[in-house]
């Protein structure tokens, strides 16, 4: 009868054959779509003129200590921060000669950071020794490693079921792996090498596996825990233990030799890293106390919830290995090794948000997803152990793109000794922060606004400057330099292109003022900001020294 609603059990009965027939066809597109989604997200981190250096998290407060080669390269620095770990590894990667005095000053503890030399070497080697190229390669190594890991994981999670897809997705978009990508850290590439080593072991190539895991120890010391794969499945297998010891030596030997070299070359690493370990469960318990304290405030917000989810996920994984021992399974031995590591992690790994525990324990995440049995009764545990995928996208939130792109000869774009660059400055009291889409970048003005073109050289430059202007209403906009009108193109409700050739930039600041005939207003799209106009896709192309090209 028309308009009659199907009973729910009848609806489900009809839905099941439909899903059984058509859902498998969407599996491969789902895998491919995930990779495309990841690449699209990563593309948002590209900044004009600065590449992917946003990912390295250089801190403005540390910039005075940076090596001269870095200062001479146009890179992104986070304002009013001290940066994060990758800023040290990236500088080592630019020229990994550890006795360099400038490198010693730039790195918080060179003996400690240099233990994880592998991915500095790979960036430098792939760049063929070019320091600027090495910096940019280091910034994207995690992206390349993620893509390779996605391919390697198909060995355990082939596109044959939605359960496999969920486990595959759960590893690739786990909070820890997303943190590694976002911060250009060593954990993502380390997980790739561990996965390759395990794949080789399963393929019956234990010595090749040991070699890969041994090399991985130069990327991060805790990677050698994966050497547990070589322990015999039977405790009483004496010859198996002999082979395990032999292969274990191959795993630990590269790291052991490198540590001796560093000791002789650089001396002690000081106390950096001393808080990485603690008595069993002490720091873990303090983390729970920290989260509880956050929820006792009025502003716990999403960070409190997400911190709780990380702890619940890691705890679920730990309980799986602790309460379901399977020594005979190679992946269980590896996962249990990292579960044991979790017990003794110190405050430096647990404290704060996002914390480092989720990325330090990435191999446990992979082992968990491989080993959790198939079947309906295990889905709750699988969901709980992968709870971080529901908010990890926040970690990969794209930055506001820089408000201008800079082109031209490097010697004119920047002052080599100081690293100062030609730049466009947008006063905060007159402009909102930078925004971006896939193809454009812009700033909204709060009303009439200045743009300051800053030339750090002691001589004048010639530049071509182009940008677009757009508003949400019919308004007149004029670009002036003092009393001189540089551009007046009528209303800018539709996109108006501005191209100014042969702009003379005197040493110091050249101040432009962009005037408009209307006050800032609330746009019709629900934006709570009062805005006047947006300046979009600004490009400054330095042509040469002003006097050299005959500019009056």
């Amino acid at each position: 009868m028309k308009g009659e609603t199907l009973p729910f059990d009848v609806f489900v009965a009809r839905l099941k054959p439909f899903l059984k027939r058509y859902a498998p066809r969407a599996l491969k597109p789902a895998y491919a779509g995930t990779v495309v989604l990841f690449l699209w997200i990563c593309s948002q981190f590209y900044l004009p003129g600065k590449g992917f250096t946003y990912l390295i998290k250089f801190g403005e407060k540390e910039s005075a200590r940076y090596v001269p080669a870095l200062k001479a390269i146009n890179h992104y620095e986070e304002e009013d921060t001290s940066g994060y770990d990758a800023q040290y590894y990236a500088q080592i990667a630019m020229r990994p000669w550890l006795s360099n005095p400038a490198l010693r000053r730039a790195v918080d503890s060179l003996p400690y950071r240099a233990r994880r030399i592998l991915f500095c070497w790979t960036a430098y080697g792939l760049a063929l020794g070019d320091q600027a190229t090495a910096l940019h390669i280091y910034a994207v190594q995690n992206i390349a490693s993620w893509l390779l890991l996605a391919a390697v994981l198909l060995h355990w999670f082939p596109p044959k079921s939605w359960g496999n897809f969920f486990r595959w997705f759960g590893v690739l978009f786990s909070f820890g792996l997303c943190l590694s990508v976002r911060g250009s850290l060593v954990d993502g590439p380390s997980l790739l090498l561990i996965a390759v080593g395990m794949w080789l072991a399963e393929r019956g190539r234990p010595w090749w596996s040991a070699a890969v895991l041994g090399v991985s120890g130069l990327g991060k010391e805790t990677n050698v825990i994966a050497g547990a794969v070589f322990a015999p499945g039977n405790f009483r297998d004496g010859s198996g233990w002999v082979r395990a010891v032999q292969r274990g030596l191959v795993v630990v030997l590269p790291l052991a030799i490198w540590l001796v070299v560093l000791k002789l070359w650089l001396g002690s690493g000081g106390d950096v890293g001393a808080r990485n370990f603690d008595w069993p469960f002490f720091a873990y318990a303090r983390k729970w106390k920290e989260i509880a304290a956050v929820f006792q405030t009025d502003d716990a917000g999403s960070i409190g919830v997400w911190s709780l989810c990380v702890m619940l996920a890691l705890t679920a994984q730990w309980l799986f290995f602790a309460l379901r021992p399977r020594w005979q399974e190679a992946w269980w031995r590896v996962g249990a090794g990292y579960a044991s590591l979790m017990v003794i992690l110190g405050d430096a790994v647990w404290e704060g948000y996002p914390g480092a525990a989720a990325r330090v324990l990435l191999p446990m995440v992979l082992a968990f997803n491989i080993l959790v049995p198939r079947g309906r009764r295990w889905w709750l545990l699988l969901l709980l152990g992968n709870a971080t995928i529901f908010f990890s996208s926040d970690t990969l939130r794209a930055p506001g793109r820089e408000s201008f792109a800079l082109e031209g000869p490097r010697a004119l774009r920047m002052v080599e000794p100081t690293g100062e660059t030609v730049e466009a400055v947008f006063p905060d009291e007159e402009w909102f922060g930078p925004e971006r889409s896939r193809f454009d970048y812009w700033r909204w003005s709060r009303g009439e606004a200045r743009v300051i073109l800053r030339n750090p050289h002691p001589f004048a430059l010639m530049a071509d400057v182009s940008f677009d202007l757009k508003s949400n209403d019919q308004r007149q906009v004029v670009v002036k330099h003092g009393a001189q009108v540089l551009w007046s193109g009528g209303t800018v409700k539709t996109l108006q292109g501005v191209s100014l050739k042969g702009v003379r930039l005197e040493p110091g600041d050249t101040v432009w003022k962009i005037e408009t005939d209307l006050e800032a207003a609330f746009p019709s799209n629900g934006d709570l900001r009062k805005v006047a106009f947006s300046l979009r896709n600004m490009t400054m192309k330095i042509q040469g020294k002003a006097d050299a090209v005959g500019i009056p």
Side-chain angles (χ1 to χ4, degrees):
M1 188 173 180
K2 188 176 181 180
E4 185 177 352
T5 303
L6 282 174
F8 182 72
D9 57 339
V10 176
F11 170 75
V12 171
R14 294 183 180 180
L15 181 62
K16 282 183 177 179
F18 177 84
L19 292 176
K20 187 175 181 180
R21 180 177 179 182
Y22 291 104
R25 299 182 184 181
L27 262 176
K28 290 182 179 179
Y31 278 82
T34 299
V35 174
V36 171
L37 172 64
F38 175 76
L39 289 173
W40 180 82
I41 290 172
C42 290
S43 71
Q44 308 301 299
F45 288 91
Y46 179 83
L47 299 176
K50 299 184 179 184
F52 287 92
T53 56
Y54 183 92
L55 294 170
I56 297 178
K57 303 188 77 170
F58 291 109
E60 185 182 44
K61 291 182 178 180
E62 293 288 309
S63 60
R65 297 172 50 187
Y66 290 157
V67 296
L70 176 60
K71 293 179 181 180
I73 297 172
N74 197 12
H75 63 278
Y76 184 88
E77 292 181 5
E78 296 184 354
E79 295 181 3
D80 199 33
T81 73
S82 298
Y84 202 56
D85 292 2
Q87 65 181 330
Y88 305 122
Y89 300 119
Q91 291 179 84
I92 297 173
M94 293 175 70
R95 186 173 182 269
W97 186 249
L98 303 182
S99 57
N100 180 3
L103 193 59
R104 282 179 172 269
R105 291 191 297 270
V107 178
D108 57 350
S109 174
L110 188 57
Y112 174 75
R113 300 296 178 186
R115 295 178 195 171
R116 302 169 180 181
I117 195 70
L118 177 62
F119 305 114
C120 302
W121 283 343
T122 55
Y124 186 76
L126 290 170
L128 301 178
D130 182 80
Q131 296 187 70
T133 305
L135 172 67
H136 292 294
I137 289 177
Y138 187 85
V140 299
Q141 279 188 132
N142 264 267
I143 298 174
S145 296
W146 189 99
L147 294 171
L148 292 172
L149 180 64
V152 173
L153 292 185
L154 295 178
H155 172 69
W156 296 284
F157 311 120
K160 295 181 178 179
S161 70
W162 287 104
N164 277 356
F165 172 78
F166 180 80
R167 294 164 192 256
W168 179 81
F169 187 93
V171 175
L172 293 173
F173 279 90
S174 62
F175 192 52
L177 193 54
C178 289
L179 280 177
S180 183
V181 172
R182 170 61 187 87
S184 292
L185 299 167
V186 299
D187 307 273
S190 292
L191 184 63
L192 169 64
L193 291 179
I194 289 173
V196 171
M198 295 296 292
W199 176 78
L200 287 168
E202 291 184 2
R203 300 275 293 181
R205 290 173 170 77
W207 291 108
W208 279 106
S209 173
V212 170
L213 295 178
V215 169
S216 76
L218 297 175
K220 191 173 185 181
E221 307 92 310
T222 55
N223 292 348
V224 299
I225 294 175
V229 65
F230 301 118
N234 185 348
F235 267 108
R236 298 180 179 179
D237 184 357
S239 59
W241 280 110
V242 171
R243 291 191 298 271
V245 170
Q246 292 171 340
R247 292 159 186 166
L249 287 174
V250 175
V251 173
V252 301
L253 196 57
L255 177 60
I257 292 174
W258 181 239
L259 291 177
V260 172
V261 171
L262 288 179
K263 180 68 175 178
L264 297 174
W265 194 358
L266 302 177
S268 173
D271 61 355
V272 176
R275 297 176 61 245
N276 287 347
F277 301 101
D278 203 341
W279 293 103
F281 292 111
F282 276 37
Y284 171 83
R286 284 192 291 269
K287 179 62 177 181
W288 277 112
K289 186 177 180 180
E290 175 189 307
I291 293 174
V294 169
F295 278 97
Q296 290 173 3
T297 66
D298 295 329
D299 58 349
S302 56
I303 288 180
V305 175
W306 294 341
S307 297
L308 177 62
C309 285
V310 170
M311 291 299 288
L312 288 174
L314 292 177
T315 301
Q317 295 166 23
W318 185 88
L319 288 172
F320 173 77
F321 288 102
L323 300 180
R324 194 174 181 272
R326 294 290 190 278
W327 179 266
Q328 69 276 13
E329 297 179 4
W331 268 111
W332 184 90
R333 296 194 296 274
V334 172
Y338 285 92
S340 300
L341 175 65
M342 173 178 151
V343 171
I344 58 172
L345 290 177
D347 289 324
V349 183
W350 288 111
E351 64 191 4
Y353 178 86
R359 55 185 176 83
V360 170
L361 299 171
L362 271 174
M364 184 172 74
V365 178
L366 175 54
F368 172 83
N369 278 283
I370 289 174
L371 292 179
V372 169
R374 268 61 175 172
R376 233 178 246 180
R377 68 192 186 99
W378 292 98
W379 265 102
L380 179 59
L381 175 64
L382 193 64
L383 285 170
L384 188 58
N386 287 292
T388 64
I389 65 172
F390 298 108
F391 60 86
S392 58
S393 60
D394 181 75
T395 306
L396 294 175
R397 181 181 297 170
R401 190 185 280 260
E402 288 289 272
S403 302
F404 67 96
L406 185 61
E407 300 176 0
R410 172 171 164 167
L412 296 179
R413 286 188 285 111
M414 64 180 61
V415 178
E416 296 279 358
T418 65
E420 293 178 283
T421 64
V422 176
E423 60 180 332
V425 179
F426 297 80
D428 290 340
E429 65 274 13
E430 300 172 16
W431 297 89
F432 290 101
E435 301 175 60
R436 66 171 295 167
S437 67
R438 174 65 183 87
F439 300 105
D440 302 302
Y441 51 98
W442 65 89
R443 279 182 184 259
W444 282 100
S445 74
R446 303 174 186 268
E448 294 186 346
R450 294 170 298 153
V451 177
I452 302 170
L453 307 181
R454 185 160 292 163
N455 173 12
H457 293 285
F459 48 81
L461 296 171
M462 180 191 77
D464 293 340
V465 182
S466 62
F467 53 89
D468 300 320
L469 290 169
K470 192 176 186 299
S471 67
N472 292 307
D473 48 23
Q474 297 283 350
R475 65 172 64 234
Q476 301 282 333
V477 174
V478 178
V479 181
K480 290 184 175 181
H481 178 209
Q484 179 187 6
V485 175
L486 300 176
W487 181 87
S488 177
T491 60
V492 295
K493 184 171 184 179
T494 57
L495 196 69
Q496 296 287 332
V498 179
S499 180
L500 302 173
K501 303 288 187 181
V503 174
R504 185 183 178 100
L505 302 179
E506 298 291 348
D509 292 347
T510 298
V511 180
W512 288 356
K513 188 172 183 180
I514 307 180
E515 299 178 349
T516 179
D517 61 330
L518 299 177
E519 297 291 328
F522 292 113
S524 59
N525 61 4
D527 195 329
L528 299 180
R529 303 172 298 177
K530 283 187 176 182
V531 298
F533 53 84
S534 62
L535 186 149
R536 314 171 74 88
N537 303 324
M538 184 176 189
T539 300
M540 301 169 62
K541 186 172 184 178
I542 309 301
Q543 299 291 354
K545 294 183 180 181
D547 296 336
V549 293
I551 295 179

